[in-house]
Amino acid sequence: MNNREKDKYLILSATFGEGHKQVANAISEAVNEMVADAEPITMDIMEWIHPNLYPISHYIYKKSIKKFPQVYSFLYKKTRVKNSFSVKLNSIFLSGMQAVLKIIQEIKPKVVVSTYPFAAGIISRLKEQGLIDIPAVTIITDYTDHSYWIHPSTDQYVVGSARLRDQLIVLGVEANKIKNIGIPVRKRFMDVLPKDLLLDKYMINPNMFTLLIMGGGDGFFGKGISTFKALESISTPIQLFIVCGKNKKLKTQLEWELKGSKHDVRIFGYCDKVEELMAISDLMISKPGGVTTSEAMAMDLPILLYHSLPGQEEDNAEYLCRSGFALSAKSEKELIAQIENLVRDSAPLRWMKQRMKKYQTKTSSIDALHVIIEAARRGPLRNVTDSRTIQKQKEIEVSI
């Protein structure tokens, strides 16, 4: 019997944006199912290195995105290209280098995968300092570039579009380091039940238009209740799925406000079968998060983008619309008009489905795993406890 210890694949993520975590889960799941001699270890890097500050910082992050999006937009644009300001701000997030080094020395992973930009930055810096020598793979969870994703000691990048690949090359990343295979989605998007069975399961009328509304992991959507009330002005009754995510307050409010709706309304909280809802929907309304829209594309589900937040979501929206995967609405009036048009005429929906089939992403997690496996084969973690490394560790401690 082979008693060799399994190789460790360390996957670093964060819940500052649900997409980072979802991609980490997709990779972890793929490792478990496809690599018998490997063990995925997924960690929320922000929670690990800042356990006391994490709950507060996470709360402030969510509130600031919702209440003060222009502040986030300013910081995003100010740091889009590497400059003195972006370097200074980034130094705050690199303060956890010592903690991450300790994790790596304890786990001794074969490869490190980062689905969060500051995790990628810390790993690259540790390699630059000579403290570790281990393959590093970064999976970019949006369709756009930003300086915080790009680091000199990253060995491989996984990106979701040819345009992003080209942007990274312009920014100096070697072409052979970039794999355009789509943003990884979980295997469940490959193994959905047949549509006729799902129609029966959810008691859906196949002759009625079915609209799915995704508010993101935290249930952010438009102007809240007023936006949902505006859906009552759609002249033709439709079947309506609303996924509120972790926003229990919104779910409770909607159950009260929409109980007399002329539409057939189904309201969900956090939904672990969203792939089934996507499979039986004609259209999804969502913010342009990279992972949610990638999941929709894997299901050939046309997207209507609404209420894009400043920053990467605006960039994602521009890419998705220009590529023919989505339409967009900038106001409630425009949103309702777009839905009315699509209920009456499904031709644009058929065209978007055809575009999505051409750029299929169902196997993106498997394809990403192949990249990770290839990186892992480059060699194990070296012993970094010599005198030179100890001196480097002391330098880090002084610098932070």
Side-chain angles (χ1 to χ4, degrees), residues 55 151 189 196 252 278 347:
H151 304 284
F189 289 88
D196 57 343
T252 300
M278 288 184 175

Side-chain angles (χ1 to χ4, degrees), residues 71 102 133 176 197 210 243 355 361 382:
V71 175
K102 183 179 179 181
D133 184 7
N176 64 353
L197 295 180
T210 303
V243 179
R355 293 288 295 171
T361 58
R382 294 179 183 175

Side-chain angles (χ1 to χ4, degrees), residues 48-329:
W48 176 264
I49 64 180
H50 300 297
N52 296 323
L53 291 176
Y54 174 79
I56 298 173
S57 60
H58 190 253
Y59 175 82
I60 292 173
Y61 166 79
K62 291 196 296 183
K63 288 296 182 183
S64 63
I65 287 290
K66 191 173 184 180
K67 300 292 185 181
F68 308 105
Q70 295 308 319
V71 175
Y72 179 83
S73 176
F74 170 79
L75 292 173
Y76 177 85
K77 293 175 181 177
K78 188 75 173 177
T79 58
R80 177 74 179 267
V81 177
K82 187 175 182 179
N83 53 56
S84 59
F85 178 78
S86 71
V87 171
K88 289 178 181 177
L89 186 62
N90 193 37
S91 65
I92 298 173
F93 295 97
L94 294 180
S95 62
M97 286 177 61
Q98 191 68 27
V100 175
L101 178 59
K102 183 179 179 181
I103 294 170
I104 290 175
Q105 290 175 330
E106 290 177 355
I107 295 176
K108 295 181 173 59
K110 188 86 170 178
V111 63
V112 178
V113 180
S114 299
T115 69
Y116 185 62
F118 296 114
I122 289 174
I123 295 302
S124 180
R125 183 66 63 86
L126 288 172
K127 293 181 71 173
E128 292 167 52
Q129 295 281 344
L131 296 170
I132 62 174
D133 184 7
I134 182 172
V137 178
T138 292
I139 301 177
I140 299 181
T141 58
D142 288 293
Y143 295 105
T144 186
D145 64 284
H146 191 282
S147 65
Y148 287 163
W149 281 112
I150 304 169
H151 304 284
S153 293
T154 299
D155 297 291
Q156 286 289 331
Y157 294 88
V158 171
V159 302
S161 72
R163 187 181 75 160
L164 179 52
R165 178 199 61 203
D166 294 342
Q167 288 172 328
L168 295 189
I169 292 172
V170 169
L171 293 170
V173 179
E174 296 94 325
N176 64 353
K177 286 187 173 184
I178 310 166
K179 300 292 189 258
N180 170 30
I181 56 180
I183 298 174
V185 298
R186 300 184 72 173
K187 185 175 179 289
R188 62 180 58 179
F189 289 88
M190 298 170 56
D191 302 327
V192 183
L193 290 172
K195 186 173 181 178
D196 57 343
L197 295 180
L198 292 174
L199 291 173
D200 290 339
K201 176 179 177 178
Y202 290 92
M203 294 182 288
I204 293 299
N205 181 349
N207 299 315
M208 284 183 70
F209 190 92
T210 303
L211 175 64
L212 169 63
I213 298 179
M214 297 286 295
D218 293 297
F220 298 153
F221 180 73
K223 297 178 181 178
I225 295 297
S226 67
T227 301
F228 290 102
K229 286 183 176 179
L231 297 172
E232 287 300 303
S233 64
I234 299 173
S235 57
T236 304
I238 64 174
Q239 293 164 137
L240 179 60
F241 294 138
I242 302 174
V243 179
C244 300
K246 299 173 184 176
N247 194 330
K248 296 180 180 179
K249 180 180 177 181
L250 176 61
K251 182 176 183 291
T252 300
Q253 287 179 314
L254 289 176
E255 287 171 343
W256 174 258
E257 295 288 346
L258 301 181
K259 64 180 180 180
S261 174
K262 67 183 174 187
H263 305 305
D264 180 0
V265 181
R266 323 283 180 89
I267 302 173
F268 301 84
Y270 184 82
C271 180
D272 61 358
K273 293 291 184 181
V274 69
E275 71 279 3
E276 294 185 348
L277 302 184
M278 288 184 175
I280 54 178
S281 296
D282 297 298
L283 174 70
M284 179 182 79
I285 299 177
S286 174
K287 301 190 303 98
V291 176
T292 299
T293 53
S294 293
E295 291 170 348
M297 290 171 63
M299 301 303 298
D300 302 327
L301 176 61
I303 309 165
L304 176 54
L305 302 172
Y306 183 57
H307 196 61
S308 304
L309 293 172
Q312 66 267 31
E313 285 194 3
E314 288 181 332
D315 292 345
N316 287 344
E318 188 274 333
Y319 163 75
L320 291 165
C321 291
R322 189 169 58 84
S323 300
F325 307 140
L327 301 172
S328 67

